[in-house]
Amino acid sequence: MEKELHEQYEYARRRIKQKKRLYFHFVLFVLGSLLLFIANKFFEIAADSHWSIWVITIWLFLFILHFIKIFITDRFMNKNWEREQIDRLVALQQKKLDQLQTQVNNDDLK
């Protein structure tokens, strides 16, 4: 029982750490995008091109991937999912072994 409680605690701690990093990434994205936009438009750093829009777009794409990883992928493919998949594969292997053992026993009887 204590092991399960410890695993739940570790899972919760890991999820909180992931979400904290995502929120930090979001704040960094907003501040960084604002800084890039100001550098391009107001300080006229390479103002003839729209490089800041491209950088912000790429950064937004990376942030969206980070968001998907945290709130979609990791949410459904956690330790419980891994255990279920392992148990299912072990059961399939055991079933195949039992079939082979039955075949060998039947061949021995002939």
Side-chain angles (χ1 to χ4, degrees):
M1 182 66 174
E2 187 174 315
K3 183 179 179 183
E4 289 178 17
L5 186 62
H6 180 69
E7 285 179 2
Q8 288 175 346
Y9 173 78
E10 286 298 317
Y11 174 74
R13 192 176 64 75
R14 189 175 64 250
R15 289 291 293 163
I16 289 171
K17 194 174 187 179
Q18 287 176 336
K19 289 179 182 180
K20 186 178 175 182
R21 286 181 184 159
L22 180 69
Y23 297 147
F24 178 75
H25 186 181
F26 177 72
V27 169
L28 190 64
F29 167 71
V30 169
L31 294 176
S33 298
L34 185 63
L35 182 69
L36 289 171
F37 184 76
I38 289 171
N40 189 7
K41 294 297 179 185
F42 297 113
F43 293 129
E44 298 179 357
I45 299 174
D48 55 334
S49 67
H50 298 288
W51 61 269
S52 65
I53 301 300
W54 287 105
V55 173
I56 292 169
T57 303
I58 292 169
W59 198 352
L60 177 64
F61 177 72
L62 293 174
F63 175 75
I64 290 170
L65 289 178
H66 190 185
F67 180 87
I68 289 170
K69 181 186 181 307
I70 300 300
F71 284 106
I72 296 175
T73 307
D74 284 354
R75 186 176 200 178
F76 296 110
M77 294 183 183
N78 55 21
K79 286 284 187 191
N80 292 336
W81 181 83
E82 287 179 18
R83 285 186 190 137
E84 289 172 5
Q85 295 301 312
I86 290 170
D87 291 344
R88 186 179 63 82
L89 291 174
V90 167
L92 283 173
Q93 289 175 347
Q94 188 62 41
K95 183 179 176 183
K96 287 180 182 179
L97 286 174
D98 291 342
Q99 287 173 348
L100 288 173
Q101 186 65 36
T102 305
Q103 252 182 350
V104 167
N105 289 342
N106 288 340
D107 288 344
D108 286 344
L109 293 176
K110 290 181 182 182

